[in-house]
């Protein structure tokens, strides 16, 4: 009998199912944490509208108004649908800062400057926190996986995966900054805007994919919320047993 003819054991099937479940849970958590397709649209659309209108009429005010309006509309849609607004609100703040910078300097290219500075700061934060032993991606995803900070001391394999993912995010964002900051000085507003829009999604998707790969291979998260609930239930059971024993002694 060849290896291909050997029947699959229950243990093999269980392991495969556990790996599939781990990948599915990781994918769902990343989708929730980073907003999924809708979050990406909300991130890209205001800037895309800004550079499109500026390419057509070279009017900073019209471009800024359009970007602000579409950001507010995206927030309003989420509020109406009673969805989480954190991704839409982050877009509003980013657009607002960009508009303020551009209007203060009179240079439409400065609309993108706050976002670039934020990206650089975020890249450094990913790298520095990882070197310090507290990878940022673990802080972001820990609550999503219901493990909080348990991975720091109780799950070393998972901590290692978070460290790899944080390094990936930091290096990818640094590479993006290495492209954008020189172009900020050399390219005109229209060229720079389109390059920036083109670099919005691909680096993000690469970082998310690498995070998924690292975490899918890591040990499963420790559900600290489930542990707390189990402890509460056990404590209630102990109290109930003690009360029952006390009633028995009374008789």
């Amino acid at each position: 009998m060849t290896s291909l003819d050997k029947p699959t054991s229950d243990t093999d099937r269980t392991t495969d199912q556990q790996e599939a479940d781990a990948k599915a849970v990781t994918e769902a958590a990343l989708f929730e944490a980073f907003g999924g397709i809708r979050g990406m649209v909300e991130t890209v659309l205001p800037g895309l509208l800004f550079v499109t209108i500026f390419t057509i009429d070279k009017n900073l005010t019209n471009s800024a108004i359009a970007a602000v309006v579409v950001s507010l509309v995206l927030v309003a849609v989420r509020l109406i649908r009673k969805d989480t607004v954190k991704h839409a609100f982050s877009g509003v703040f980013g657009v607002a800062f960009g508009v303020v910078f551009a209007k203060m300097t009179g240079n439409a290219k400065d609309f993108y400057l706050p976002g670039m500075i934020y990206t650089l700061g975020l890249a450094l934060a990913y790298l520095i926190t990882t070197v310090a032993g507290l990878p940022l991606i673990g802080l972001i995803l820990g609550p999503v996986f219901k493990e909080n900070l348990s991975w720091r001391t109780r799950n070393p394999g998972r901590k290692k995966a978070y460290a790899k993912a944080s390094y990936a995010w930091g290096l990818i964002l640094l590479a993006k900054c290495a492209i954008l900051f020189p172009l900020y000085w050399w390219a005109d507003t229209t060229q720079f805007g389109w390059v920036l829009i083109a670099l919005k999604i691909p680096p993000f998707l690469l970082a998310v994919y690498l995070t998924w790969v690292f975490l899918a291979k890591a040990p499963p998260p420790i559900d600290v919320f489930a542990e707390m609930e189990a402890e509460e239930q056990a404590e209630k059971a102990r109290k109930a047993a003690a009360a029952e024993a006390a009633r028995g002694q009374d008789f």
Side-chain angles (χ1 to χ4, degrees):
M1 179 181 291
T2 67
S3 59
L4 294 177
D5 296 327
K6 293 179 181 179
T8 303
S9 67
D10 292 339
T11 301
D12 292 336
R13 283 196 294 267
T14 301
T15 301
D16 291 342
Q17 184 61 45
Q18 289 175 342
E19 291 178 354
D21 291 343
K23 290 180 179 179
V25 169
T26 301
E27 182 178 344
L30 291 175
F31 194 90
E32 177 184 344
F34 297 113
I37 296 175
R38 188 173 177 183
M40 288 188 289
V41 170
E42 292 171 341
T43 300
V44 172
L45 190 56
L48 177 61
L49 193 58
F50 180 92
V51 70
T52 300
I53 294 177
F54 191 84
T55 299
I56 296 172
D57 67 4
K58 299 295 189 294
N59 189 299
L60 172 58
T61 300
N62 291 342
S63 303
I65 291 174
V68 171
V69 168
V70 75
S71 298
L72 294 175
V73 168
L74 292 173
V75 172
V77 170
R78 281 193 175 265
L79 289 173
I80 292 172
R81 294 170 59 91
K82 297 181 180 180
D83 294 333
T84 178
V85 296
K86 61 181 180 180
H87 299 291
F89 265 131
S90 65
V92 169
F93 288 126
V95 169
F97 278 115
V99 169
V100 169
F101 267 66
K103 295 297 287 184
M104 286 176 60
T105 64
N107 184 356
K109 196 188 298 185
D110 289 337
F111 172 80
Y112 305 106
L113 189 56
M116 293 167 56
I117 295 173
Y118 172 78
T119 299
L120 178 59
L122 188 59
L124 295 176
Y126 275 117
L127 297 176
I128 292 171
T129 55
T130 305
V131 171
L134 193 64
L136 181 58
I137 199 70
L139 299 178
I140 295 172
L141 294 180
V144 178
F145 283 110
K146 299 180 181 180
E147 61 182 335
N148 285 348
L149 295 178
S150 63
W151 49 268
R152 287 197 67 200
T153 55
R154 300 172 58 191
N155 205 338
R158 199 157 180 86
K159 180 179 180 180
K160 185 177 180 180
Y162 280 139
K164 289 180 180 179
S166 290
Y167 276 130
W169 277 90
L171 293 175
I172 289 170
L173 293 180
L174 275 184
K176 180 178 177 180
C177 291
I179 296 172
L180 292 180
F181 275 95
L183 284 177
Y184 173 78
W185 299 107
W186 300 336
D188 63 36
T189 300
T190 300
Q191 293 171 337
F192 179 72
W194 285 111
V195 170
L196 191 145
I197 293 298
L199 288 177
K200 277 279 188 181
I201 300 302
F204 172 81
L205 290 180
L206 176 59
V208 170
Y209 172 73
L210 290 176
T211 302
W212 178 79
V213 170
F214 294 140
L215 292 182
K217 296 179 180 180
I222 298 171
D223 191 336
V224 295
F225 296 108
E227 289 182 343
M228 293 171 59
E229 291 177 0
E231 289 177 2
E232 290 177 359
Q233 293 297 326
E235 181 63 24
K236 289 180 180 178
R238 285 193 294 269
K239 290 181 178 179
E244 185 67 24
R247 284 196 295 268
Q249 291 176 357
D250 292 339
F251 289 108

